[in-house]
Amino acid sequence: MKIFSLILFTLNILFATAELEHVTLGNQDFSIVTEAYDIYDSKGEVMKFYKEERNNDLTFVLSLILKDKTGTCADKSTQEGAYEINGTTITLYSFWDRKGKVYDSPYGARIQQYEMLPDHTVVLRSSKVYIETARKSYDKESGMQYLFTPPKTALEKEALQAYVQSVEKEYKGVFVFGEEAKMLLDEVHEAFRRKMKSAWQGN
């Protein structure tokens, strides 16, 4: 599925704990830098995507959390990410979850699709998201409750709309519901399975 050239090595100067991967979309070269971080109670890895300029400068394009764990071993919020490159398209997959007594952390998924245009600029073509910002029983005043029980009154519909708008703003995507939300979650998990299979096979 991936059609690109790959060189993998450790950077010792600019990024002390980072890996650099060179990829080609169409006839444009890009660099993918994967950095590890350990900040307070959060540990993880982030991918940063850069356009390689003719003067050897790197222009930042986008980033994606590949893995993050925040909290204690028993009680923590997690985030996982994966990306796929196909021709001139790069697709980003994200999944949020929680374990233990973490009630106010998100659960859900997002898929973002970017495309490189003929002038080598990268644009966001689509972004779909489904997020539950807390456990179902945690905040009964939130409009999130109407994801599970359809709103009936005008006030309930307004509360749901306000919740959706808040999620769309924070997670930068179009909120999806019902079967479309289930399909979104399934597609993200399937992308993670492809990622694991690729890792086992050594690409």
Side-chain angles (χ1 to χ4, degrees):
M1 182 176 183
K2 296 182 180 180
I3 306 175
F4 57 85
S5 60
L6 171 64
I7 302 174
L8 185 64
F9 61 93
T10 301
L11 286 174
N12 294 318
I13 300 176
L14 294 178
F15 305 98
T17 57
E19 290 182 340
L20 176 65
E21 179 182 341
H22 290 294
V23 299
T24 300
L25 278 71
N27 59 354
Q28 172 63 47
D29 293 329
F30 292 86
S31 292
I32 297 178
V33 178
T34 303
E35 298 179 68
Y37 61 85
D38 187 347
I39 305 172
Y40 300 110
D41 62 345
S42 295
K43 294 182 179 180
E45 288 183 356
V46 59
M47 178 275 283
K48 297 179 181 179
F49 195 71
Y50 296 90
K51 178 182 177 183
E52 296 181 2
E53 305 291 355
R54 291 183 178 179
N55 58 3
N56 294 323
D57 285 344
L58 298 178
T59 300
F60 177 78
V61 177
L62 56 86
S63 64
L64 173 70
I65 297 293
L66 297 178
K67 59 182 178 181
D68 178 90
K69 294 181 180 180
T70 301
T72 65
C73 293
D75 306 313
K76 60 187 175 184
S77 60
T78 62
Q79 183 176 346
E80 186 177 358
Y83 62 90
E84 293 178 336
I85 296 174
N86 186 12
T88 58
T89 299
I90 179 168
T91 305
L92 309 183
Y93 303 90
S94 297
F95 177 69
W96 290 264
D97 203 357
R98 58 180 92 92
K99 290 180 61 178
K101 298 179 180 179
V102 180
Y103 302 109
D104 58 348
S105 292
Y107 165 83
R110 181 183 64 195
I111 298 178
Q112 295 177 307
Q113 190 173 77
Y114 290 83
E115 182 182 0
M116 188 190 73
L117 302 180
D119 64 358
H120 296 167
T121 58
V122 177
V123 297
L124 179 64
R125 285 301 191 192
S126 67
S127 180
K128 295 182 179 181
V129 64
Y130 173 81
I131 291 288
E132 299 167 14
T133 55
R135 290 190 185 275
K136 183 177 178 180
S137 60
Y138 179 73
D139 185 1
K140 295 184 178 180
E141 300 299 319
S142 170
M144 187 190 78
Q145 64 183 302
Y146 303 115
L147 295 176
F148 314 105
T149 304
K152 297 178 181 179
T153 69
L155 286 177
E156 290 174 347
K157 292 178 181 179
E158 288 179 6
L160 174 59
Q161 184 62 25
Y163 173 81
V164 167
Q165 290 176 348
S166 175
V167 169
E168 289 182 335
K169 181 178 180 180
E170 181 175 355
Y171 291 88
K172 298 178 176 60
V174 176
F175 201 98
V176 295
F177 301 84
E179 287 300 317
E180 192 172 1
K182 293 179 182 178
M183 290 175 61
L184 180 75
L185 286 160
D186 288 344
E187 191 172 345
V188 168
H189 290 310
E190 182 60 34
F192 291 157
R193 284 191 284 270
R194 291 194 297 269
K195 176 183 176 181
M196 291 180 63
K197 183 177 180 180
S198 177
W200 291 336
Q201 295 176 344
N203 289 323

